[in-house]
Amino acid sequence: MPRRAPRPAPVTPTTPCPCGLPKAYGECCGRFHAGAAVAPSAEALMRSRYCAFVVGDVAYLLKSWHPRTRPAQLELDPDMRWTGLEILDRADGSAFHDRGTVTFRASYRGGELCERSRFERVGGEWVYVDGEFLD
């Protein structure tokens, strides 16, 4: 019988944020997940969405998805283990913009994916529109 990899330690408000910034999860992306704040930039939203995949927060992923492109439902693979995030590029997406892109590499146990994600503001808040996978 094959052995399963050990489950990673749970993410708590005081553990390092999975997005890679030097803050605790509760002070970083966790506050967006809890609804205590909104992401101030496209990059911050992208980082918080990556963290939502790490912690399995489907509600936040759907809430932060543009209504025009949001799926009716989302199921995450419970065996997926995300292991790191690297921001490769960003364009626009600040408080002075209505649109922005973030190109990133997300690593997972056994591989990685690269995506250029597009973001827009809806009702003053950043939302994910869609993405293009890169080789």
Side-chain angles (χ1 to χ4, degrees):
M1 173 186 253
R3 292 185 59 202
R4 294 180 74 167
R7 294 186 82 59
V11 176
T12 70
T14 59
T15 59
C17 193
C19 82
L21 292 178
K23 291 183 178 179
Y25 170 72
E27 297 171 359
C28 196
C29 296
R31 64 195 170 111
F32 305 138
H33 296 173
V38 296
S41 67
E43 180 182 338
L45 182 69
M46 201 283 330
R47 287 179 178 278
S48 71
R49 285 178 55 82
Y50 168 81
C51 287
F53 278 100
V54 171
V55 301
D57 190 341
V58 171
Y60 181 80
L61 289 166
L62 291 171
K63 177 182 180 275
S64 62
W65 210 313
H66 197 294
R68 184 178 71 238
T69 58
R70 177 189 310 136
Q73 61 183 19
L74 181 64
E75 291 186 36
L76 302 180
D77 179 351
D79 293 326
M80 179 64 98
R81 298 291 174 257
W82 296 99
T83 59
L85 175 66
E86 179 184 2
I87 303 299
L88 304 174
D89 191 26
R90 66 191 69 69
D92 298 330
S94 75
F96 303 104
H97 302 104
D98 289 329
R99 291 181 171 80
T101 62
V102 179
T103 305
F104 65 92
R105 177 180 297 118
S107 302
Y108 56 90
R109 189 181 66 218
E112 65 183 27
L113 68 85
C114 290
E115 180 178 311
R116 181 175 302 116
S117 296
R118 293 186 320 127
F119 300 88
E120 293 180 7
R121 284 186 191 261
V122 171
E125 295 185 17
W126 287 104
V127 292
Y128 170 78
V129 176
D130 60 19
E132 170 190 4
F133 290 115
L134 307 172
D135 293 330

